[in-house]
Structures are given as C-alpha cells and as structure tokens.
Amino acid sequence: MSRFVVLVLAVYAIFWLLKRALSGRKRGDRSADRAADRAADRTADRTADRADDPAQTGAEAVPDLVACARCGVLVPKNLAIGEEGAAPLNAPRLYCCEEHRRLGPG
C-alpha cells in the first residue's frame, strides 16, 4: 500500500512540475513578445524620423554589388577585381579577391 501512495505522489509531483514549467514558458513568451513589440516600435519611430531627411536615409551610400565569378559572394563593385584580358564586348568577370581571379570562374 505504501508503494502505491509513493507512486501516486510521484506522478502528481511530475504532473505539477510539468504544468508549472509549461505555464512559466507561456508567461515568458508573452513578455518576450511585448519586448519585441516595443523594440519594433522604437525601430519604426527611428526609421520614420530618418525618412523625412534624405541625407540620413543612406540611399546614395549603398554601392552596387556584384557577385564573384568564383564563389558568388557579393562584393561592392568598386572593390571587385576584374579579369585580365577580358574581351571588350563582353562584361569582364569580377572577383572578390586576387586568388579567385587567378583560379578563374568556378
């Protein structure tokens, strides 16, 4: 009989702990959602402030990006390394580094 009582108490304790853990996670999720909402609101406010001033939008500061012919990584066009001896009618292949230019297209 005592084993039965201990077994019932153990099952009840496990059930109680699981219920408490799951309800705590839900409470934490709600607070995390509220924190994410507040952060999104702050970001939207800052973005709206910058949208009014064209000098702060940075639209002119974004360089043209080109893909490396070897690995495909995007590199600003002004930093890309061109292929030597490219045909004038064809656009030269651009590379992210000197080693990839030396190895050629992948």
Side-chain angles (χ1 to χ4, degrees):
M1 181 70 180
S2 64
R3 287 183 182 173
F4 179 74
V5 171
V6 170
L7 180 64
V8 169
L9 288 176
V11 169
Y12 177 76
I14 291 171
F15 178 78
W16 180 76
L17 288 172
L18 285 173
K19 183 178 175 184
R20 184 175 174 195
L22 291 176
S23 67
R25 183 180 300 157
K26 288 179 185 173
R27 240 182 283 126
D29 287 346
R30 282 185 288 217
S31 65
D33 290 342
R34 284 192 297 263
D37 289 342
R38 285 191 303 267
D41 290 343
R42 285 192 301 265
T43 302
D45 291 343
R46 279 186 255 139
T47 304
D49 291 343
R50 278 187 286 182
D52 296 338
D53 186 4
Q56 291 183 357
T57 59
E60 299 83 19
V62 178
D64 291 334
L65 297 177
V66 293
C68 174
R70 177 80 184 171
C71 65
V73 71
L74 295 176
V75 183
K77 194 171 187 175
N78 61 342
L79 297 178
I81 300 170
E83 183 178 38
E84 293 178 356
L89 296 177
N90 298 333
R93 290 189 178 103
L94 299 173
Y95 299 94
C96 63
C97 63
E98 191 62 37
E99 181 179 357
H100 283 184
R101 185 200 59 79
R102 184 179 53 79
L103 292 172

